[in-house]
Amino acid sequence: MSVVTDIIERVRSIIFRRRDERELAEELEFHTAMEAAKLERRGLSPAEARRQTSLALGGVERVKDDVRDARGTRFLHDGQRDMAFALRTLLRNPGFAAVAILTLAVGIGGTTAVYSAVDAVLLQPLPYQQPGQLVRLYYTDVRRKEERGVVTPVHFLDYRQSMGAFSSIAALFLYSESGADIGTGDDVRRIRILPVSADYFDVVRVQPSIGRPFSRDEETDAPAVVLSHALWKEQFGGKPSAVGQSLMMNGRSFTVAGVMPDGFADPLAGSVDAWVPGDLRPGRDPNEAGNHYLSVIARLRPDVTIARAQAELDQLGATLAQRYPNARYAGARLDPLKEDIVGDSSKPLEIMLGAVAMVLILICVNLANLLLVRGTDRAREFALRSALGAERRRLVRQTLIESLTLALAGDVGGIIVAYFAMKAIVAIGAGSIPRLSTLELEPRLLVFSLVIASLSALGFGLWPALRAARTQPGDILREQGRSATSGGVQMRLRQWLVVSQVALAFVLLVGAGLLIASFQRIRQVPLGVRPEGVLAFELHLPEARYDSIARARFYETVAGRIAALPGVVAAGGVSKLPATGDFNIWGTQALTGPLANLDRGNIAGQNRVVSGRYFEAVGISLLDGRLFDEHDDASAPRRVIISRAAAERMFPGVRAVGQSLTTGGGPREIVGVVADVALDPQGRSGEGYVYHPHRQFAGDRNWSLVQVVRTTGSLEQLQGEVRRLIASLDPQLVMYKPMALTEAIGRGEAQRIFTLRLLTTFAGVALGLAALGLFGVLSYGVRLRRREFGIRMALGANGGSIRRMVLREGMVVTAIGVAIGLLGAVALSRVLASLVFGVSTLDPRVLASAAVFMALVAGFAAYLPAHRATSVEPSSVLQ
Amino acid sequence: MAGEPGELLQGTLEMMVLKTLSLEPMHGWGIAQRIQQMSNDVFLVTQGSLYPALIRMKRRGWLTTSWRVTENSRRARYYELTAAGRRQLGLEQASWQRASAAVNWVMNARLVPDGGRA
């Protein structure tokens, strides 16, 4: 009971402090007045009465102080006073305050920004109901379970029918970016569409906010469309009457079935403008058990674990193996959807967080160092205050509050830094790190930054504070800064702080160095193409106006006309740009040769459809036979060109040209063999490529070939010329996503670039801080040892030897730091392993360069203090 | 004397304040006067000990305060006992009486000649 009133009273005193103070003053004034009146009644003059009263009652301020003590909120008032004092102290030394606050702002802001990314990408659950039930389904090789591939329609339909563990399962036709042209005339623009199976909306548990989802009857390429909220606003002005109306896409009329709620994003594709029913008609594709192109997600029943679902899936796999003996697989594996989406990006993000934390620690060490210097300068102040009766506790608190004041000021700056850093992270990371778009400076993050700031204050302030507490007033006041060796212990402490800075900076340098080395390695990976000087862009031909014959003709015409532009070497088109990933992996069987119709003669062929002079345009060299020409048209027998790897696998020991194989629904004659092309920028090689001439394959589907143009001139200029050329051929066509081929291939590397940029930034900051620390400690050392240097010089030492002494000291500190950092790099090598490509995490070249770099910077930082040491005038210190 | 009041003194002051307020609600100066009068000028209660004591007692829930107008029509803060304050007064009075009686016995003790001494 009384504890409660006590707390209430204290809290009340905190809240109503001003009123309390006013009332206390009034109360005491009343008391004094009454006392004086009493004395007056005894015959004293009013003035005399007041005087005697004051004498009798003692100082009013003292009473007030005692009353404040009694309120139990003393610590707050003192805290406030200490804070004001801290501010004054800091303002007296604006240079120090500015350095401290700015570096803290960088550290706190950086940490907050990186944490925000980690939070958004890794920690936040998927924005769907019961996200834990969502799984991704991949086909897998029963012998190599780590393999993950997209699914065939026949397997998907069997999973949908038989799997009891799933409450729903959906297929997304994600295998290529699907676009559609909407609008007419000059208004044509391309939007992102995603064909999905009907149960998609059940799996994500988001239904259209108006209208209806698709039904399974519509999984026949039915002309129905569900719009995104944004497209609905744009095309129909946000009117509910849009449902039932028609929308022209690719020149074909679709009926609007529904509109998705605002903010809905596809879990795998992200922002999608419209959803259409995917075509799942059985028998649509003659090779349907061998064609993999469905991305499958499913929702587990509430009581089913992923392990149980996997067991059921394994059982089903055995049945499927018998049902489709010619399928390439029967196994499938489940991954939690979030894990699947976050995928490889978790490691870089975690490393980033570690790196930025290291930078923050460095900053704190730096500040601790600076505070220690100030502590020495202020030792006399503290000693004096201590001698005058200030409590130790008070002095510690005072110092800590100074640190806290700094940290809070740093936090304010840090929030500003975080705001811009988050924008930068989103900009750099977009496209390579999923879920980054949800990044926002939320209140949670402000709290986080405040916690970080307070921890930093404790981190850099505690040591100086404890030193202040250990002040021996007598010693310091006696010393008067006379001794030549004063501060020796502290000097050693500061040197160790710098050692730790060098170590941290070295680890970051090694990390950045490894990434740069990886990058160089990747650049050196032979991709089998020469992407420099090649412009790539998508060119979609709406089916309504272009049937397969027209498409076949048009793509060849475009290639030919572009080739005639000045500077153009060759132009062509392809269904998937080289080195940008898997695409149309179809079972491919040798029909002739030693492995004819044998299992060993069957490969997972990477099928590509090409037009124009694709091979010359991207720089794939012909090894045997010939390239496609105008005779390889619909009237001729079906022909293909295969890559060397495919030739060696399917036709070992014989000439592949002239042999035949079957893929994509029928037999093909091989007319040429070309060089191998990597599947991604890391140089991954598949089982081989099969290239089809578009002239013969246009009828299969609308391939929306990506056009590639090799030029000897500038890409920008070419882009303008090509745009005008296309407009002259068909003004309604869109030259979509033009970019350099190097950029298109590099996009697969975006994540590594993201990490590289951030890590090199951190390493640079760390290096600067370590240099600053070294500079500081050496300068301070020189200042302390002025007398010693003076004596040495008086005794005949020359400037060079003095300079070497200081430099050597700096190098020793650096060497110890590098040695410790080396141990750290070894300890962290497992973590770094996920970032590197083609180099060992302990690559001696990288480690040596980092060490040399560190030493150079350290030498630079040490030079000025060393130089200053030689400028000591012996006479000035020896007087 | 600026020294802190001893444990006993502080406790005694609080008891006397409680006693004073048990008669009627009173402002700070009035309490001091009343104690001075009732103790025949033995206890001079200073502001420095009175007001902190009042605040502490309020924190313990023994007192409530309110601003009222005095008979001289000046505004003053009046202190009033709560039920808890009354209970506390009872407790303190009882223990004080025990303690002062005990102190009196001790102080009035005489050395009685020991008859058993041979």
Side-chain angles (χ1 to χ4, degrees), chain A residues 2 5-6 9-10 12 20 23-24 26-35 38 41 56-58 62-63 66-67 69-72, chain B residues 2 4 27-30 32-33 36 45-48 50-56 58-61 67 70 72 74-77 79:
Chain A
S2 90
T5 39
D6 185 48
E9 276 299 314
R10 282 196 203 209
R12 208 196 53 78
D20 276 0
E23 290 185 350
L24 176 63
E26 190 180 343
E27 190 168 29
L28 294 178
E29 172 60 31
F30 170 79
H31 194 116
T32 314
M34 293 298 284
E35 196 68 29
K38 191 175 82 179
R41 279 200 300 278
L57 296 180
R62 163 108 208 170
V63 175
D66 288 343
V67 171
D69 253 353
R71 279 191 200 130
Chain B
E4 298 282 312
H27 45 69
W29 182 76
Q33 289 303 306
Q36 195 178 339
V45 184
T46 62
Q47 289 181 325
L50 176 63
Y51 288 101
L54 285 171
I55 293 277
R56 271 192 299 271
K58 191 177 174 207
R59 262 172 57 193
R60 290 180 199 137
W67 286 87
T70 67
N72 307 339
R74 289 197 57 158
R75 237 166 70 87
R77 181 163 21 208
Y79 296 83

Side-chain angles (χ1 to χ4, degrees), chain A residues 66-268:
Chain A
D66 288 343
V67 171
R68 284 176 204 133
D69 253 353
R71 279 191 200 130
T73 57
R74 176 69 183 244
F75 66 101
L76 272 179
H77 308 295
D78 282 351
Q80 202 179 31
R81 216 177 319 161
D82 283 346
M83 194 83 111
F85 184 75
L87 272 178
R88 279 202 305 278
T89 315
L90 289 178
L91 287 180
R92 222 180 301 143
N93 203 337
F96 166 76
V99 169
I101 292 171
L102 279 180
T103 51
L104 270 175
V106 169
I108 295 171
T111 311
T112 306
V114 174
Y115 174 77
S116 73
V118 170
D119 181 64
V121 177
L122 302 182
L123 302 182
Q124 291 298 308
L126 295 176
Y128 307 101
Q129 285 176 40
Q130 280 86 48
Q133 297 171 356
L134 292 170
V135 292
R136 174 90 192 253
L137 187 151
Y138 285 107
Y139 102 71
T140 191
D141 192 321
V142 192
R143 282 152 306 186
R144 284 181 299 161
K145 291 266 191 195
E146 69 285 352
E147 200 169 290
R148 292 177 177 84
V150 284
V151 176
T152 75
V154 291
H155 289 88
F156 169 73
L157 290 173
D158 275 313
Y159 297 140
R160 183 159 85 177
Q161 202 186 349
S162 313
M163 282 294 292
F166 299 150
S167 62
S168 50
I169 177 169
L172 286 68
F173 293 60
L174 270 178
Y175 62 101
S176 71
E177 286 197 33
S178 314
D181 296 332
I182 59 168
T184 48
D186 291 343
D187 245 4
V188 177
R189 84 179 179 93
R190 203 155 167 82
I191 60 165
R192 178 106 197 253
I193 62 169
L194 177 62
V196 293
S197 68
D199 300 0
Y200 173 79
F201 306 96
D202 296 330
V203 173
V204 294
R205 287 231 172 117
V206 181
Q207 298 292 322
S209 53
I210 55 172
R212 57 165 184 89
F214 304 132
S215 72
R216 288 192 187 175
D217 300 337
E218 286 174 308
E219 291 171 343
T220 56
D221 197 25
V225 61
V226 169
L227 307 176
S228 72
H229 195 265
L231 189 66
W232 173 55
K233 286 261 181 215
E234 181 199 294
Q235 292 291 316
F236 296 95
K239 291 197 196 83
S241 59
V243 173
Q245 291 192 20
S246 76
L247 176 70
M248 293 296 283
M249 294 197 298
N250 290 339
R252 187 174 160 212
S253 171
F254 283 72
T255 307
V256 176
V259 178
M260 290 309 276
D262 196 9
F264 173 77
D266 179 81
L268 300 180

Side-chain angles (χ1 to χ4, degrees), chain B:
Chain B
M1 182 62 205
E4 298 282 312
E7 197 76 7
L8 177 72
L9 204 59
Q10 189 179 322
T12 319
L13 173 64
E14 288 180 1
M15 185 175 68
M16 291 190 292
V17 170
L18 287 173
K19 177 65 192 174
T20 312
L21 290 176
S22 74
L23 305 174
E24 60 174 327
M26 184 61 68
H27 45 69
W29 182 76
I31 295 169
Q33 289 303 306
R34 192 59 70 78
I35 291 175
Q36 195 178 339
Q37 283 167 12
M38 292 193 303
S39 69
N40 293 325
D41 288 340
V42 170
F43 291 124
L44 290 176
V45 184
T46 62
Q47 289 181 325
S49 47
L50 176 63
Y51 288 101
L54 285 171
I55 293 277
R56 271 192 299 271
M57 290 160 78
K58 191 177 174 207
R59 262 172 57 193
R60 290 180 199 137
W62 300 343
L63 309 177
T64 57
T65 63
S66 56
W67 286 87
R68 299 184 197 171
V69 177
T70 67
E71 52 268 39
N72 307 339
S73 44
R74 289 197 57 158
R75 237 166 70 87
R77 181 163 21 208
Y78 276 74
Y79 296 83
E80 196 170 339
L81 273 197
T82 62
R86 261 174 222 294
R87 267 200 307 280
Q88 183 65 24
L89 175 60
L91 289 175
E92 292 204 7
Q93 211 154 11
S95 82
W96 169 257
Q97 270 156 7
R98 256 203 327 277
S100 64
V103 171
N104 280 332
W105 291 331
V106 171
M107 298 313 285
N108 294 331
R110 299 251 170 85
L111 195 63
V112 180
D114 188 347
R117 198 169 169 162

Side-chain angles (χ1 to χ4, degrees), chain A residues 373 494 771-781 865:
Chain A
V373 179
R494 297 195 54 207
L772 205 66
L774 190 66
F775 172 77
V777 80
L778 289 179
S779 303
Y780 182 70

